[in-house]
Amino acid sequence: MTRTEQPSIEERIAACLDRRDLAQAATEALQGYGPQIFGFLTAVLRESDAANEAFSEFSEDLWRGIGQFRRESSFRTWAYQLAWNAARQLIRDPFHRRGRRLRTSEWSRIAEQVRSSSAAVREAAIRGRLSEMKARLDPDEQTLLILRVDRELSWKDVAAVLSEPGEPLDDAAVRKRFQRLKTKLHRMAKREGLREILAGSVLPSSGSGTKVQ
């Protein structure tokens, strides 16, 4: 098999699930998607201890729950659902963190590797004035922005991640949220003299036809 024919993360996970090797499937998932998940949690929670706590919970939830993954979405989308649920729990209950630790040395090692990877740190870093502006958004707004713009999830997948239990969101509702968020960002940018930065960024100016519309 040539380098260009190497299986994707999704394919490697699926192969492990097909043979019911759940431990290896979880390892592939955490090694493959862990850095971007940790970056996502760091950007949303904005504080390293909280991100570490949420990542520990996410990792354990993935470890324990991977056998219940039904392949109704990509594994990546399912992983972001777990991560957002972990973040949301900390946001709602910040004074009662459980201090969870993975229960096997192997999983602890993998999680720590992800936390300390320079790629994850670089991905999570907030740079420049535009990033500082985005950092002032509330967690729900930041999550919507990261999932749609930075991670390029489809509207359907963003809706799946953001849906509350028993209260599913549809594509149209998420698109409306994003339009309101985009308007808010452009107003903030105008007040702070950042219109020229927004014009050259991944966020579209009003009325443009970029991929995030």
Side-chain angles (χ1 to χ4, degrees):
M1 180 177 289
T2 67
R3 181 176 301 177
T4 58
E5 295 172 336
Q6 290 296 321
S8 67
I9 299 169
E10 294 284 334
E11 290 168 338
R12 294 198 300 272
I13 294 170
C16 294
L17 292 175
D18 287 342
R19 61 177 185 267
R20 297 301 297 170
D21 188 348
L22 300 185
Q24 186 58 37
T27 298
E28 294 283 358
L30 192 55
Q31 290 179 337
Y33 289 133
Q36 61 176 272
I37 291 290
F38 185 65
F40 162 68
L41 291 170
T42 302
V44 169
L45 295 171
R46 312 177 201 173
E47 196 264 320
S48 60
D49 287 345
N52 284 331
E53 179 68 23
F55 187 73
S56 290
E57 181 166 342
F58 156 77
S59 300
E60 187 167 344
D61 289 345
L62 186 150
W63 171 37
R64 289 177 174 277
I66 196 167
Q68 280 69 58
F69 175 57
R70 301 304 181 200
R71 309 195 200 193
E72 295 171 349
S73 67
S74 69
F75 193 93
R76 182 177 184 243
T77 296
W78 188 72
Y80 272 103
Q81 288 178 305
L82 293 182
W84 174 232
N85 286 340
R88 186 161 50 194
Q89 180 62 36
L90 281 182
I91 292 165
R92 291 174 175 174
D93 192 16
F95 300 109
H96 294 86
R97 294 176 182 171
R98 287 172 284 177
R100 296 170 70 171
R101 294 294 181 269
L102 297 176
R103 298 185 180 181
T104 73
S105 59
E106 175 65 13
W107 279 101
S108 297
R109 182 184 65 79
I110 296 171
E112 184 56 35
Q113 285 177 346
V114 171
R115 287 191 190 97
S116 61
S117 88
S118 58
V121 172
R122 286 195 300 271
E123 183 180 75
I126 299 176
R127 297 183 178 95
R129 294 175 65 196
L130 178 58
S131 293
E132 291 173 3
M133 184 184 73
K134 292 178 183 178
R136 295 200 298 273
L137 299 171
D138 67 39
D140 284 354
E141 291 171 329
Q142 277 219 18
T143 297
L144 174 57
L145 190 64
I146 292 167
L147 294 179
R148 179 58 185 168
V149 177
D150 295 349
R151 302 298 188 253
E152 299 183 350
L153 267 64
S154 69
W155 291 115
K156 179 180 178 181
D157 286 345
V158 173
V161 173
L162 295 181
S163 291
E164 294 273 0
E167 298 178 13
L169 289 171
D170 58 23
D171 297 10
V174 175
R175 285 173 182 267
K176 287 180 180 177
R177 281 193 193 180
F178 189 83
Q179 288 298 324
R180 290 195 296 270
L181 174 57
K182 190 168 66 173
T183 298
K184 177 178 178 178
L185 282 168
H186 282 282
R187 286 175 178 168
M188 292 169 66
K190 184 177 180 180
R191 285 198 304 270
E192 299 181 24
L194 298 178
R195 294 175 68 182
E196 73 283 1
I197 297 178
L198 274 176
S201 76
V202 293
L203 283 176
S205 58
S206 298
S208 67
T210 68
K211 65 184 178 183
V212 296
Q213 294 256 346

